[in-house]
Amino acid sequence: MLYKTKYFKFSLFLSPKEVLISFIILLVSGLSTSQLYELHNTSLITSSKNVYFQADLGRTYSAMSSRVSEAHYRAKVHPLLPIQTHSPVFLLKKLGFSTFTAVKIVVCTIASIWGLCLYGMFRLIGNSRFHAILLTILGLSSASAMFWLSVPESYALGSLNIIIALCFAALANCKPISNTGYILLNIITLSTTITNWMSGVAATFAGRSTRETIKLCLISLALVTILWGVQKHFFYHTVFFLGDSEEASYMFAPSLARVAALVSTFFFHAVISPAINIIDHNIDGWPLISFQSSMPASSNLIEMAGSLLWICTLTISAIGFFKLKAQLPLRITLGLTILGQLFLHLLYGEEIFLYSLHFLPLLLALVSIGLNTKNSKLIVGFITLLIPILFISNLQKFESISEIAIPPAQEVKNQM
């Protein structure tokens, strides 16, 4: 049989082995992110704009550190992000931590939760402990995890929401999900990034009829609107998340160059980083870093080997996904979300790597399903060879970018 069912009781999550593994994953995810965070120039974190793959790190840092920051206007695309990110920073500052340290702690905590939930997703899909640990290490070694878990941005939480949606879908294979559960899922997936709501809607559609899906999504939308209204009382500069036209300026025609960039970023760059490009300098003289025009394996032979191992892993897993007869809710959720993300970023986003942490859980879930097929030993072999390549290659790129992404005055000083 192509697929072996490996469902297990939730009591297994509380077994001594699972508790120990979970603690180690939390620790490794948080500490490794802390080390990467420290490699960034302080000014990149606190005040840069569009330098780091078009990310507005300075704006996000401002929103996390100040309740009255005008940066909270981005709630129009991140409905409940101010509550999620400013509140813990506020509490840490009350405990005596500096603003910079408080933001760092929150960023590292989110990374820890991300790593733990990733491991939990693999276990819910049906992977053994060994396979789940291997995939979690693969995820943490990926380019998108290294680059986006280590900075103050919305993408870690947005990625976490997609992981939660896939967990719900995997759980629906062995246990009925209540309407309340689906409403909660849709609130979660809508709360951080509007477009990631597609994962919650897909998971609901996979477990309910079309009519029920519409009803549950409308209820969720109403509840998020109410929560946004409460949030507005505390964060004055938040803007309502429906009806704004600013995002139209980030829409692009689906040219051949755009398609090539999307395929490269979605299927390759999210996992293994390509050659670094400096496309321009902003008005303050900062170099603008990009992967957009880089082709996969564009730096050296090691990256070429890594890209080949990865595409073989992904291809074998995809074949298993299409041959699989079981786990229908998960496969529907995963398939619809992959198609949704591809279609979205065919049209939206100047630097597609900016959103790569949203793609990563989808690709890893696909490989997770592949590990439950007769080709699992082959996939494990590929992953085992791939992990050190990813870690070394992505860390080198990360360190190089940390040296490049520094204020112009500091750059001149370093050259003296």
Side-chain angles (χ1 to χ4, degrees), residues 126-243:
N127 297 131
S128 66
R129 286 194 188 100
F130 172 70
H131 288 170
I133 292 170
L134 196 66
L135 283 174
T136 303
I137 295 172
L138 177 68
L140 290 171
S141 302
S142 69
S144 54
M146 280 194 184
F147 284 97
W148 295 116
L149 291 180
S150 62
V151 292
E153 254 295 356
S154 65
Y155 303 107
L157 282 172
S159 179
L160 183 59
N161 292 348
I162 291 175
I163 292 172
I164 291 171
L166 294 172
C167 286
F168 264 76
L171 181 60
N173 291 295
C174 56
K175 181 179 179 180
I177 306 294
S178 66
N179 286 344
T180 302
Y182 281 117
I183 290 172
L184 179 61
L185 171 63
N186 280 277
I187 290 173
I188 291 171
T189 52
L190 174 59
S191 65
T192 302
T193 303
I194 290 176
T195 52
N196 283 357
W197 189 18
M198 70 174 70
S199 61
V201 174
T204 307
F205 175 75
R208 289 289 188 271
S209 67
T210 303
R211 182 175 180 178
E212 287 180 309
T213 298
I214 293 172
K215 182 181 73 173
L216 294 173
C217 289
L218 288 175
I219 292 172
S220 304
L221 177 61
L223 292 173
V224 170
T225 301
I226 292 170
L227 290 171
W228 179 91
V230 174
Q231 175 183 257
K232 176 70 174 178
H233 179 73
F234 298 98
F235 300 91
Y236 314 124
H237 294 290
T238 54
V239 175
F240 191 54
F241 57 93
L242 294 177

Side-chain angles (χ1 to χ4, degrees), residues 152-367:
E153 254 295 356
S154 65
Y155 303 107
L157 282 172
S159 179
L160 183 59
N161 292 348
I162 291 175
I163 292 172
I164 291 171
L166 294 172
C167 286
F168 264 76
L171 181 60
N173 291 295
C174 56
K175 181 179 179 180
I177 306 294
S178 66
N179 286 344
T180 302
Y182 281 117
I183 290 172
L184 179 61
L185 171 63
N186 280 277
I187 290 173
I188 291 171
T189 52
L190 174 59
S191 65
T192 302
T193 303
I194 290 176
T195 52
N196 283 357
W197 189 18
M198 70 174 70
S199 61
V201 174
T204 307
F205 175 75
R208 289 289 188 271
S209 67
T210 303
R211 182 175 180 178
E212 287 180 309
T213 298
I214 293 172
K215 182 181 73 173
L216 294 173
C217 289
L218 288 175
I219 292 172
S220 304
L221 177 61
L223 292 173
V224 170
T225 301
I226 292 170
L227 290 171
W228 179 91
V230 174
Q231 175 183 257
K232 176 70 174 178
H233 179 73
F234 298 98
F235 300 91
Y236 314 124
H237 294 290
T238 54
V239 175
F240 191 54
F241 57 93
L242 294 177
D244 188 84
S245 60
E246 180 189 355
E247 300 309 300
S249 62
Y250 303 111
M251 301 291 288
F252 297 87
S255 62
L256 287 177
R258 180 78 184 179
V259 172
L262 175 61
V263 171
S264 296
T265 304
F266 194 100
F267 294 106
F268 289 95
H269 299 173
V271 175
I272 183 165
S273 51
I276 302 167
N277 293 315
I278 298 176
I279 55 174
D280 201 351
H281 290 75
N282 67 11
I283 57 174
D284 298 317
W286 284 79
L288 302 182
I289 298 164
S290 173
F291 284 159
Q292 185 81 350
S293 60
S294 297
M295 296 301 292
S298 52
S299 292
N300 52 54
L301 290 176
I302 294 178
E303 287 180 18
M304 186 178 296
S307 297
L308 183 61
L309 286 169
W310 170 243
I311 199 62
C312 288
T313 301
L314 207 57
T315 301
I316 294 170
S317 300
I319 291 171
F321 173 85
F322 286 111
K323 287 185 176 181
L324 190 63
K325 302 300 181 185
Q327 290 198 312
L328 186 60
L330 173 62
R331 291 189 294 117
I332 290 174
T333 303
L334 180 57
L336 289 178
T337 307
I338 288 175
L339 290 175
Q341 289 287 335
L342 284 170
F343 179 75
L344 170 67
H345 293 292
L346 178 64
L347 305 173
Y348 178 82
E350 185 174 354
E351 174 75 34
I352 301 175
F353 185 71
L354 185 66
Y355 313 95
S356 61
L357 197 57
H358 294 167
F359 312 152
L360 183 65
L362 304 173
L363 301 175
L364 293 177
L366 192 62
V367 176

